[in-house]
Amino acid sequence: MSKEFPYTLTPPSKIINEVSRIANISIEEECIETNQKLLSRYSSKDVVAVMDIPPYDRALVDGYACRSQDILYASAESPVVLKLVDKDVINEGECKELNTGDKVPQGADIVVPREYTLRNEDNVLVYNSLPPNYGIGLRGEDIRKGEVIIRRGERIRPWHIALASAQGFKCIYVYKLPRAIVFSTGMELLEPGEPYRDGMIYDSTRRLVLSYLKWMGFDVSDGGRVSDDIYMIEKMFRKLLSEYDIIFSTGGTSIGERDYTVKALKRLKPEYIVHGFAIKPGRPGAIAVVNGKIIIALSGFPVAALSELDLVFKPLIEKLLNIRIDYPKIMGRLTRRIPSQPGITELYRVRIWIQNGEHFIEPLRLTGSGVLSTLIKGNAFLIVPEDSTGFEEGEKVEVHLVSW
Amino acid sequence: MSKEFPYTLTPPSKIINEVSRIANISIEEECIETNQKLLSRYSSKDVVAVMDIPPYDRALVDGYACRSQDILYASAESPVVLKLVDKDVINEGECKELNTGDKVPQGADIVVPREYTLRNEDNVLVYNSLPPNYGIGLRGEDIRKGEVIIRRGERIRPWHIALASAQGFKCIYVYKLPRAIVFSTGMELLEPGEPYRDGMIYDSTRRLVLSYLKWMGFDVSDGGRVSDDIYMIEKMFRKLLSEYDIIFSTGGTSIGERDYTVKALKRLKPEYIVHGFAIKPGRPGAIAVVNGKIIIALSGFPVAALSELDLVFKPLIEKLLNIRIDYPKIMGRLTRRIPSQPGITELYRVRIWIQNGEHFIEPLRLTGSGVLSTLIKGNAFLIVPEDSTGFEEGEKVEVHLVSW
């Protein structure tokens, strides 16, 4: 029961190619200290290990470093007696006391755990024979100098920070994401917190877009609301073009008489403009490149706007910055058939659940691009590609996990 | 090849019960505006819908609202003529022009899309018969008043923000996570950025813990480093106890002669203390309750510390605050056998991958609690429960997805 959208619908792949070719937005990097501030940023360069980790052979136990051949015949009945020394080089018949993590002295190839020994003033009795390298973490066994520890475009996780720290890096290069702003259009909109008035709706789409972009890592600004007035919307776009690289509007993208957003967009004389995406939901969206900057006019319906973000904006920004914002991909069996129209990329909200060790994927039945409840009832997106006629019941499909 | 830890090992479940019973940390809530700042916080109350969404029957298309019985026999050959009015109530033979999203006037039960009509001054010709409710989004079809839209303890996602906004909520109650701080101990530690010196290692564990806690949502402070000196460590703990609810240290938890952290902890006269967790890696960890505050002495090895956080601290804070920090759970088939010692909860780093529509789970072979590279090579944790003797090759197991 969705509206017929009369314009030509352009596939996301074509839009992404054209916009990324024409757009000219500043893509900057910055070196961020290897602490919490680095978390969830996107690396802008491969990070290569500059040293072996561990940087030297180190003790994995508290005990005594010695030569394996010296204790080859040690046993409970006939312990070997070693001379306790405190030197950087161990010779035949000698041992050195080490704590866990200490550097193993030259000449030693074993650290005998303290519980296999008895200390007797300046001598140590060893009661066990052990294989070479016992009790030792070998230099470079974790990371070798020259290995890539963070790939370009990867989102920084706690362990990336740990590895970069272990390499002694003070900071790591990451992208400054383009400056983005979102404003909404619509006379029927109320701001949350305002008293409710009949015939109005609270603006949820702008907040959905703002928080979705923040969740992707954008430091996105809230541009507030503009009236359904072609000149006000045009003025807003012009003002924001001087300050932001990416501008999002919500609402007014359809073909009704109050749908002024796309008309305003056209008055900016864009280098490139598409009105009508070959996606479902989200067909009425528009995208334009104006003075090299990107303007995306999203639908006013929240789920349509989310679909436009996910199927058009996300792959576009991934391509422009060479980053990966991927959700985890999971396979599961469809609990019912999903038909799809070829030529249209479709985004289904689905619920994935486990039964008897199998993943099942249930497409949520609710229709309508405004239906927010499917987003809290679902936990994943199923994307039906452009060329597909859909999937059968019981078929194994891949979904993108967005929450669980 | 890990060190024998001679103390009694206490299972996480027992620790969590005891600490949550004895600890007395301030658990505060705050009402955060329904915008980006709310993202990734944990709700402290069920949020219940106060109105139906949509709040009224609304047009899903641009067109004309009318009574279904009036256009029952409309067709291309014999269109029905309706009188165009602009009133809040529609009577027999009348219609009202609506844009998508507009409130449907009383009396009307259809919105005829504009493309099925022809407008002729004050009349509208309708060329199609349509079923009742066509073109209408019914009041409450998305959310009904009284429905829970955000459950207590849930982590706030973009769609929760959208739904709360759509309900007109200015703010939502979320937890202030307890104030936490992390400091490290160890004479062998260098700070990233310092020139490398032989026999030293760069401190990665403190940064791993800081970023892991930030990723959980804590506004965690960096307490820097303290020397391996029992009095300095004790002094640090005492100072931090007056300012923080949860204090983490890293290093010095084993039984070597330079392991002062647990000794310092005992000097604080805790109400409760455990040294030795029945987990692997991470056995040498310690936890204490001092004046109601929680102190967790983590291992100095990064992966052991992470395991202590994941198997002891995460379930503890989930219980204390009644929140869910869960990772997505995925099933897959083990590519090789994993043996496990009953009585010990084990955390394996694994790599999950998809082949021919099946998930396979490969336990990473590298051993040692200091081996950071398994964290960037893997993408999930397999937790072998306390009572299990492990899993067989080919067995289906559940893992926790931590990245992809």
Side-chain angles (χ1 to χ4, degrees), chain A residues 297-329:
Chain A
L298 300 165
S299 169
F301 283 129
V303 180
L306 189 72
S307 174
E308 288 157 357
L309 285 173
D310 220 61
L311 299 178
V312 179
F313 175 67
K314 182 173 163 288
L316 171 63
I317 197 76
E318 286 180 324
K319 179 162 183 171
L320 280 171
L321 271 73
N322 197 6
I323 59 175
R324 289 175 297 283
I325 317 184
D326 285 345
Y327 310 114
K329 289 174 187 67

PDB file of all heavy atoms in Angstrom, chain A residues 297-329:
ATOM      1  N   ALA A 297      18.475  14.725   0.435  1.00  0.00           N
ATOM      2  CA  ALA A 297      17.122  15.038   0.891  1.00  0.00           C
ATOM      3  C   ALA A 297      16.438  13.707   1.208  1.00  0.00           C
ATOM      4  O   ALA A 297      16.068  12.955   0.303  1.00  0.00           O
ATOM      5  CB  ALA A 297      16.378  15.805  -0.192  1.00  0.00           C
ATOM      6  N   LEU A 298      16.311  13.433   2.499  1.00  0.00           N
ATOM      7  CA  LEU A 298      15.731  12.165   2.940  1.00  0.00           C
ATOM      8  C   LEU A 298      14.222  12.305   3.074  1.00  0.00           C
ATOM      9  O   LEU A 298      13.704  13.404   3.306  1.00  0.00           O
ATOM     10  CB  LEU A 298      16.331  11.764   4.291  1.00  0.00           C
ATOM     11  CG  LEU A 298      17.845  11.555   4.346  1.00  0.00           C
ATOM     12  CD1 LEU A 298      18.324  11.540   5.806  1.00  0.00           C
ATOM     13  CD2 LEU A 298      18.245  10.259   3.653  1.00  0.00           C
ATOM     14  N   SER A 299      13.561  11.176   3.001  1.00  0.00           N
ATOM     15  CA  SER A 299      12.119  11.124   3.238  1.00  0.00           C
ATOM     16  C   SER A 299      11.801  11.598   4.656  1.00  0.00           C
ATOM     17  O   SER A 299      12.639  11.517   5.560  1.00  0.00           O
ATOM     18  CB  SER A 299      11.665   9.678   3.058  1.00  0.00           C
ATOM     19  OG  SER A 299      10.355   9.525   3.521  1.00  0.00           O
ATOM     20  N   GLY A 300      10.586  12.057   4.861  1.00  0.00           N
ATOM     21  CA  GLY A 300      10.167  12.452   6.201  1.00  0.00           C
ATOM     22  C   GLY A 300       9.756  11.277   7.068  1.00  0.00           C
ATOM     23  O   GLY A 300       9.710  11.373   8.287  1.00  0.00           O
ATOM     24  N   PHE A 301       9.481  10.131   6.428  1.00  0.00           N
ATOM     25  CA  PHE A 301       9.119   8.930   7.185  1.00  0.00           C
ATOM     26  C   PHE A 301      10.394   8.293   7.721  1.00  0.00           C
ATOM     27  O   PHE A 301      11.352   8.072   6.976  1.00  0.00           O
ATOM     28  CB  PHE A 301       8.395   7.930   6.288  1.00  0.00           C
ATOM     29  CG  PHE A 301       6.968   8.298   6.013  1.00  0.00           C
ATOM     30  CD1 PHE A 301       6.490   8.340   4.714  1.00  0.00           C
ATOM     31  CD2 PHE A 301       6.093   8.588   7.048  1.00  0.00           C
ATOM     32  CE1 PHE A 301       5.166   8.672   4.454  1.00  0.00           C
ATOM     33  CE2 PHE A 301       4.769   8.923   6.796  1.00  0.00           C
ATOM     34  CZ  PHE A 301       4.300   8.972   5.492  1.00  0.00           C
ATOM     35  N   PRO A 302      10.412   7.955   9.011  1.00  0.00           N
ATOM     36  CA  PRO A 302      11.678   7.521   9.619  1.00  0.00           C
ATOM     37  C   PRO A 302      12.289   6.279   8.977  1.00  0.00           C
ATOM     38  O   PRO A 302      13.500   6.247   8.734  1.00  0.00           O
ATOM     39  CB  PRO A 302      11.315   7.277  11.086  1.00  0.00           C
ATOM     40  CG  PRO A 302       9.828   7.337  11.189  1.00  0.00           C
ATOM     41  CD  PRO A 302       9.321   8.098  10.015  1.00  0.00           C
ATOM     42  N   VAL A 303      11.492   5.261   8.699  1.00  0.00           N
ATOM     43  CA  VAL A 303      12.104   4.035   8.188  1.00  0.00           C
ATOM     44  C   VAL A 303      12.555   4.214   6.740  1.00  0.00           C
ATOM     45  O   VAL A 303      13.572   3.656   6.324  1.00  0.00           O
ATOM     46  CB  VAL A 303      11.164   2.821   8.371  1.00  0.00           C
ATOM     47  CG1 VAL A 303      11.808   1.567   7.836  1.00  0.00           C
ATOM     48  CG2 VAL A 303      10.846   2.635   9.859  1.00  0.00           C
ATOM     49  N   ALA A 304      11.832   5.030   5.979  1.00  0.00           N
ATOM     50  CA  ALA A 304      12.276   5.347   4.618  1.00  0.00           C
ATOM     51  C   ALA A 304      13.608   6.091   4.676  1.00  0.00           C
ATOM     52  O   ALA A 304      14.538   5.796   3.915  1.00  0.00           O
ATOM     53  CB  ALA A 304      11.223   6.178   3.904  1.00  0.00           C
ATOM     54  N   ALA A 305      13.716   7.041   5.599  1.00  0.00           N
ATOM     55  CA  ALA A 305      14.963   7.800   5.737  1.00  0.00           C
ATOM     56  C   ALA A 305      16.115   6.869   6.128  1.00  0.00           C
ATOM     57  O   ALA A 305      17.225   6.964   5.593  1.00  0.00           O
ATOM     58  CB  ALA A 305      14.790   8.901   6.783  1.00  0.00           C
ATOM     59  N   LEU A 306      15.839   5.939   7.041  1.00  0.00           N
ATOM     60  CA  LEU A 306      16.874   4.994   7.475  1.00  0.00           C
ATOM     61  C   LEU A 306      17.337   4.126   6.300  1.00  0.00           C
ATOM     62  O   LEU A 306      18.530   3.867   6.128  1.00  0.00           O
ATOM     63  CB  LEU A 306      16.320   4.100   8.582  1.00  0.00           C
ATOM     64  CG  LEU A 306      17.341   3.213   9.266  1.00  0.00           C
ATOM     65  CD1 LEU A 306      18.252   4.041  10.149  1.00  0.00           C
ATOM     66  CD2 LEU A 306      16.670   2.133  10.085  1.00  0.00           C
ATOM     67  N   SER A 307      16.385   3.689   5.504  1.00  0.00           N
ATOM     68  CA  SER A 307      16.712   2.870   4.341  1.00  0.00           C
ATOM     69  C   SER A 307      17.549   3.666   3.331  1.00  0.00           C
ATOM     70  O   SER A 307      18.509   3.149   2.751  1.00  0.00           O
ATOM     71  CB  SER A 307      15.397   2.376   3.726  1.00  0.00           C
ATOM     72  OG  SER A 307      15.613   1.700   2.531  1.00  0.00           O
ATOM     73  N   GLU A 308      17.209   4.941   3.149  1.00  0.00           N
ATOM     74  CA  GLU A 308      18.004   5.802   2.253  1.00  0.00           C
ATOM     75  C   GLU A 308      19.419   5.968   2.799  1.00  0.00           C
ATOM     76  O   GLU A 308      20.394   5.940   2.041  1.00  0.00           O
ATOM     77  CB  GLU A 308      17.311   7.162   2.103  1.00  0.00           C
ATOM     78  CG  GLU A 308      16.033   7.082   1.255  1.00  0.00           C
ATOM     79  CD  GLU A 308      15.030   8.221   1.519  1.00  0.00           C
ATOM     80  OE1 GLU A 308      15.283   9.056   2.407  1.00  0.00           O
ATOM     81  OE2 GLU A 308      13.994   8.244   0.841  1.00  0.00           O
ATOM     82  N   LEU A 309      19.529   6.122   4.110  1.00  0.00           N
ATOM     83  CA  LEU A 309      20.862   6.232   4.720  1.00  0.00           C
ATOM     84  C   LEU A 309      21.648   4.950   4.505  1.00  0.00           C
ATOM     85  O   LEU A 309      22.835   4.969   4.173  1.00  0.00           O
ATOM     86  CB  LEU A 309      20.742   6.478   6.227  1.00  0.00           C
ATOM     87  CG  LEU A 309      20.328   7.874   6.680  1.00  0.00           C
ATOM     88  CD1 LEU A 309      20.103   7.886   8.184  1.00  0.00           C
ATOM     89  CD2 LEU A 309      21.397   8.895   6.301  1.00  0.00           C
ATOM     90  N   ASP A 310      20.976   3.813   4.706  1.00  0.00           N
ATOM     91  CA  ASP A 310      21.670   2.538   4.702  1.00  0.00           C
ATOM     92  C   ASP A 310      22.033   2.059   3.300  1.00  0.00           C
ATOM     93  O   ASP A 310      23.087   1.453   3.091  1.00  0.00           O
ATOM     94  CB  ASP A 310      20.787   1.494   5.382  1.00  0.00           C
ATOM     95  CG  ASP A 310      21.605   0.597   6.240  1.00  0.00           C
ATOM     96  OD1 ASP A 310      22.228   1.118   7.181  1.00  0.00           O
ATOM     97  OD2 ASP A 310      21.664  -0.606   5.965  1.00  0.00           O
ATOM     98  N   LEU A 311      21.150   2.301   2.350  1.00  0.00           N
ATOM     99  CA  LEU A 311      21.361   1.756   1.001  1.00  0.00           C
ATOM    100  C   LEU A 311      22.028   2.752   0.057  1.00  0.00           C
ATOM    101  O   LEU A 311      22.589   2.356  -0.961  1.00  0.00           O
ATOM    102  CB  LEU A 311      20.022   1.292   0.405  1.00  0.00           C
ATOM    103  CG  LEU A 311      19.294   0.178   1.172  1.00  0.00           C
ATOM    104  CD1 LEU A 311      17.955  -0.145   0.502  1.00  0.00           C
ATOM    105  CD2 LEU A 311      20.147  -1.079   1.254  1.00  0.00           C
ATOM    106  N   VAL A 312      21.978   4.040   0.381  1.00  0.00           N
ATOM    107  CA  VAL A 312      22.607   5.036  -0.500  1.00  0.00           C
ATOM    108  C   VAL A 312      23.768   5.734   0.206  1.00  0.00           C
ATOM    109  O   VAL A 312      24.902   5.728  -0.272  1.00  0.00           O
ATOM    110  CB  VAL A 312      21.570   6.073  -1.016  1.00  0.00           C
ATOM    111  CG1 VAL A 312      22.254   7.104  -1.919  1.00  0.00           C
ATOM    112  CG2 VAL A 312      20.433   5.375  -1.761  1.00  0.00           C
ATOM    113  N   PHE A 313      23.512   6.330   1.373  1.00  0.00           N
ATOM    114  CA  PHE A 313      24.564   7.126   1.999  1.00  0.00           C
ATOM    115  C   PHE A 313      25.720   6.284   2.532  1.00  0.00           C
ATOM    116  O   PHE A 313      26.889   6.640   2.354  1.00  0.00           O
ATOM    117  CB  PHE A 313      23.991   7.999   3.127  1.00  0.00           C
ATOM    118  CG  PHE A 313      25.064   8.739   3.862  1.00  0.00           C
ATOM    119  CD1 PHE A 313      25.787   9.744   3.215  1.00  0.00           C
ATOM    120  CD2 PHE A 313      25.407   8.421   5.162  1.00  0.00           C
ATOM    121  CE1 PHE A 313      26.804  10.420   3.865  1.00  0.00           C
ATOM    122  CE2 PHE A 313      26.427   9.087   5.817  1.00  0.00           C
ATOM    123  CZ  PHE A 313      27.120  10.087   5.171  1.00  0.00           C
ATOM    124  N   LYS A 314      25.403   5.175   3.196  1.00  0.00           N
ATOM    125  CA  LYS A 314      26.456   4.355   3.825  1.00  0.00           C
ATOM    126  C   LYS A 314      27.468   3.851   2.787  1.00  0.00           C
ATOM    127  O   LYS A 314      28.675   4.070   2.950  1.00  0.00           O
ATOM    128  CB  LYS A 314      25.815   3.220   4.612  1.00  0.00           C
ATOM    129  CG  LYS A 314      26.775   2.311   5.349  1.00  0.00           C
ATOM    130  CD  LYS A 314      25.988   1.326   6.221  1.00  0.00           C
ATOM    131  CE  LYS A 314      26.817   0.161   6.661  1.00  0.00           C
ATOM    132  NZ  LYS A 314      27.120  -0.790   5.586  1.00  0.00           N
ATOM    133  N   PRO A 315      27.011   3.195   1.701  1.00  0.00           N
ATOM    134  CA  PRO A 315      28.009   2.775   0.700  1.00  0.00           C
ATOM    135  C   PRO A 315      28.741   3.952   0.054  1.00  0.00           C
ATOM    136  O   PRO A 315      29.916   3.824  -0.313  1.00  0.00           O
ATOM    137  CB  PRO A 315      27.190   1.997  -0.341  1.00  0.00           C
ATOM    138  CG  PRO A 315      25.750   2.241  -0.029  1.00  0.00           C
ATOM    139  CD  PRO A 315      25.663   2.696   1.386  1.00  0.00           C
ATOM    140  N   LEU A 316      28.065   5.098  -0.047  1.00  0.00           N
ATOM    141  CA  LEU A 316      28.721   6.273  -0.642  1.00  0.00           C
ATOM    142  C   LEU A 316      29.874   6.755   0.238  1.00  0.00           C
ATOM    143  O   LEU A 316      30.989   6.975  -0.248  1.00  0.00           O
ATOM    144  CB  LEU A 316      27.683   7.395  -0.839  1.00  0.00           C
ATOM    145  CG  LEU A 316      28.255   8.756  -1.251  1.00  0.00           C
ATOM    146  CD1 LEU A 316      28.937   8.676  -2.621  1.00  0.00           C
ATOM    147  CD2 LEU A 316      27.150   9.819  -1.280  1.00  0.00           C
ATOM    148  N   ILE A 317      29.617   6.896   1.525  1.00  0.00           N
ATOM    149  CA  ILE A 317      30.668   7.423   2.408  1.00  0.00           C
ATOM    150  C   ILE A 317      31.785   6.379   2.574  1.00  0.00           C
ATOM    151  O   ILE A 317      32.964   6.720   2.690  1.00  0.00           O
ATOM    152  CB  ILE A 317      30.084   7.907   3.753  1.00  0.00           C
ATOM    153  CG1 ILE A 317      31.066   8.807   4.485  1.00  0.00           C
ATOM    154  CG2 ILE A 317      29.650   6.776   4.666  1.00  0.00           C
ATOM    155  CD1 ILE A 317      31.162  10.189   3.917  1.00  0.00           C
ATOM    156  N   GLU A 318      31.411   5.090   2.527  1.00  0.00           N
ATOM    157  CA  GLU A 318      32.441   4.041   2.584  1.00  0.00           C
ATOM    158  C   GLU A 318      33.376   4.155   1.380  1.00  0.00           C
ATOM    159  O   GLU A 318      34.587   4.012   1.504  1.00  0.00           O
ATOM    160  CB  GLU A 318      31.792   2.654   2.627  1.00  0.00           C
ATOM    161  CG  GLU A 318      31.172   2.331   3.990  1.00  0.00           C
ATOM    162  CD  GLU A 318      30.527   0.956   4.064  1.00  0.00           C
ATOM    163  OE1 GLU A 318      29.937   0.517   3.050  1.00  0.00           O
ATOM    164  OE2 GLU A 318      30.599   0.326   5.119  1.00  0.00           O
ATOM    165  N   LYS A 319      32.786   4.447   0.229  1.00  0.00           N
ATOM    166  CA  LYS A 319      33.606   4.570  -0.984  1.00  0.00           C
ATOM    167  C   LYS A 319      34.432   5.854  -0.954  1.00  0.00           C
ATOM    168  O   LYS A 319      35.626   5.837  -1.301  1.00  0.00           O
ATOM    169  CB  LYS A 319      32.704   4.546  -2.223  1.00  0.00           C
ATOM    170  CG  LYS A 319      33.486   4.690  -3.509  1.00  0.00           C
ATOM    171  CD  LYS A 319      32.738   4.254  -4.733  1.00  0.00           C
ATOM    172  CE  LYS A 319      33.670   4.382  -5.926  1.00  0.00           C
ATOM    173  NZ  LYS A 319      33.109   3.799  -7.126  1.00  0.00           N
ATOM    174  N   LEU A 320      33.820   6.957  -0.560  1.00  0.00           N
ATOM    175  CA  LEU A 320      34.531   8.244  -0.551  1.00  0.00           C
ATOM    176  C   LEU A 320      35.736   8.212   0.383  1.00  0.00           C
ATOM    177  O   LEU A 320      36.779   8.768   0.078  1.00  0.00           O
ATOM    178  CB  LEU A 320      33.593   9.373  -0.101  1.00  0.00           C
ATOM    179  CG  LEU A 320      32.628   9.926  -1.146  1.00  0.00           C
ATOM    180  CD1 LEU A 320      31.625  10.866  -0.481  1.00  0.00           C
ATOM    181  CD2 LEU A 320      33.385  10.654  -2.250  1.00  0.00           C
ATOM    182  N   LEU A 321      35.585   7.572   1.547  1.00  0.00           N
ATOM    183  CA  LEU A 321      36.665   7.593   2.540  1.00  0.00           C
ATOM    184  C   LEU A 321      37.463   6.290   2.569  1.00  0.00           C
ATOM    185  O   LEU A 321      38.469   6.215   3.269  1.00  0.00           O
ATOM    186  CB  LEU A 321      36.095   7.858   3.942  1.00  0.00           C
ATOM    187  CG  LEU A 321      35.999   9.328   4.322  1.00  0.00           C
ATOM    188  CD1 LEU A 321      34.866  10.007   3.581  1.00  0.00           C
ATOM    189  CD2 LEU A 321      35.843   9.496   5.808  1.00  0.00           C
ATOM    190  N   ASN A 322      37.002   5.293   1.812  1.00  0.00           N
ATOM    191  CA  ASN A 322      37.666   3.993   1.857  1.00  0.00           C
ATOM    192  C   ASN A 322      37.655   3.421   3.274  1.00  0.00           C
ATOM    193  O   ASN A 322      38.690   3.029   3.824  1.00  0.00           O
ATOM    194  CB  ASN A 322      39.094   4.118   1.308  1.00  0.00           C
ATOM    195  CG  ASN A 322      39.693   2.779   0.951  1.00  0.00           C
ATOM    196  OD1 ASN A 322      39.013   1.755   1.010  1.00  0.00           O
ATOM    197  ND2 ASN A 322      40.957   2.765   0.608  1.00  0.00           N
ATOM    198  N   ILE A 323      36.470   3.444   3.887  1.00  0.00           N
ATOM    199  CA  ILE A 323      36.308   2.879   5.225  1.00  0.00           C
ATOM    200  C   ILE A 323      35.251   1.778   5.176  1.00  0.00           C
ATOM    201  O   ILE A 323      34.546   1.647   4.177  1.00  0.00           O
ATOM    202  CB  ILE A 323      35.878   3.947   6.268  1.00  0.00           C
ATOM    203  CG1 ILE A 323      34.542   4.605   5.864  1.00  0.00           C
ATOM    204  CG2 ILE A 323      36.963   4.988   6.445  1.00  0.00           C
ATOM    205  CD1 ILE A 323      33.989   5.577   6.893  1.00  0.00           C
ATOM    206  N   ARG A 324      35.182   0.995   6.230  1.00  0.00           N
ATOM    207  CA  ARG A 324      34.159  -0.051   6.340  1.00  0.00           C
ATOM    208  C   ARG A 324      33.308   0.191   7.592  1.00  0.00           C
ATOM    209  O   ARG A 324      33.816   0.158   8.704  1.00  0.00           O
ATOM    210  CB  ARG A 324      34.806  -1.430   6.423  1.00  0.00           C
ATOM    211  CG  ARG A 324      35.431  -1.886   5.104  1.00  0.00           C
ATOM    212  CD  ARG A 324      36.159  -3.206   5.255  1.00  0.00           C
ATOM    213  NE  ARG A 324      37.285  -3.106   6.182  1.00  0.00           N
ATOM    214  CZ  ARG A 324      38.451  -2.558   5.877  1.00  0.00           C
ATOM    215  NH1 ARG A 324      38.668  -2.048   4.680  1.00  0.00           N
ATOM    216  NH2 ARG A 324      39.422  -2.513   6.774  1.00  0.00           N
ATOM    217  N   ILE A 325      32.016   0.447   7.368  1.00  0.00           N
ATOM    218  CA  ILE A 325      31.107   0.680   8.500  1.00  0.00           C
ATOM    219  C   ILE A 325      30.279  -0.589   8.718  1.00  0.00           C
ATOM    220  O   ILE A 325      29.286  -0.585   9.410  1.00  0.00           O
ATOM    221  CB  ILE A 325      30.185   1.899   8.217  1.00  0.00           C
ATOM    222  CG1 ILE A 325      30.962   3.060   7.601  1.00  0.00           C
ATOM    223  CG2 ILE A 325      29.487   2.368   9.493  1.00  0.00           C
ATOM    224  CD1 ILE A 325      30.164   4.332   7.374  1.00  0.00           C
ATOM    225  N   ASP A 326      30.717  -1.697   8.092  1.00  0.00           N
ATOM    226  CA  ASP A 326      29.925  -2.927   8.061  1.00  0.00           C
ATOM    227  C   ASP A 326      29.347  -3.354   9.400  1.00  0.00           C
ATOM    228  O   ASP A 326      29.997  -3.300  10.434  1.00  0.00           O
ATOM    229  CB  ASP A 326      30.798  -4.085   7.551  1.00  0.00           C
ATOM    230  CG  ASP A 326      30.992  -3.960   6.061  1.00  0.00           C
ATOM    231  OD1 ASP A 326      30.246  -3.192   5.426  1.00  0.00           O
ATOM    232  OD2 ASP A 326      31.899  -4.629   5.531  1.00  0.00           O
ATOM    233  N   TYR A 327      28.116  -3.800   9.319  1.00  0.00           N
ATOM    234  CA  TYR A 327      27.518  -4.549  10.413  1.00  0.00           C
ATOM    235  C   TYR A 327      27.998  -5.994  10.277  1.00  0.00           C
ATOM    236  O   TYR A 327      28.327  -6.445   9.178  1.00  0.00           O
ATOM    237  CB  TYR A 327      26.002  -4.582  10.282  1.00  0.00           C
ATOM    238  CG  TYR A 327      25.338  -3.267  10.058  1.00  0.00           C
ATOM    239  CD1 TYR A 327      24.683  -3.000   8.864  1.00  0.00           C
ATOM    240  CD2 TYR A 327      25.336  -2.308  11.046  1.00  0.00           C
ATOM    241  CE1 TYR A 327      24.036  -1.796   8.661  1.00  0.00           C
ATOM    242  CE2 TYR A 327      24.694  -1.104  10.849  1.00  0.00           C
ATOM    243  CZ  TYR A 327      24.047  -0.850   9.651  1.00  0.00           C
ATOM    244  OH  TYR A 327      23.418   0.324   9.457  1.00  0.00           O
ATOM    245  N   PRO A 328      27.920  -6.764  11.370  1.00  0.00           N
ATOM    246  CA  PRO A 328      28.196  -8.194  11.240  1.00  0.00           C
ATOM    247  C   PRO A 328      27.191  -8.846  10.290  1.00  0.00           C
ATOM    248  O   PRO A 328      26.014  -8.483  10.280  1.00  0.00           O
ATOM    249  CB  PRO A 328      27.978  -8.721  12.663  1.00  0.00           C
ATOM    250  CG  PRO A 328      28.031  -7.544  13.552  1.00  0.00           C
ATOM    251  CD  PRO A 328      27.618  -6.359  12.746  1.00  0.00           C
ATOM    252  N   LYS A 329      27.670  -9.791   9.499  1.00  0.00           N
ATOM    253  CA  LYS A 329      26.810 -10.521   8.577  1.00  0.00           C
ATOM    254  C   LYS A 329      26.568 -11.920   9.136  1.00  0.00           C
ATOM    255  O   LYS A 329      27.507 -12.591   9.543  1.00  0.00           O
ATOM    256  CB  LYS A 329      27.474 -10.622   7.203  1.00  0.00           C
ATOM    257  CG  LYS A 329      27.521  -9.292   6.477  1.00  0.00           C
ATOM    258  CD  LYS A 329      28.306  -9.395   5.189  1.00  0.00           C
ATOM    259  CE  LYS A 329      28.496  -8.031   4.566  1.00  0.00           C
ATOM    260  NZ  LYS A 329      29.380  -7.139   5.376  1.00  0.00           N
TER     261      LYS A 329
END
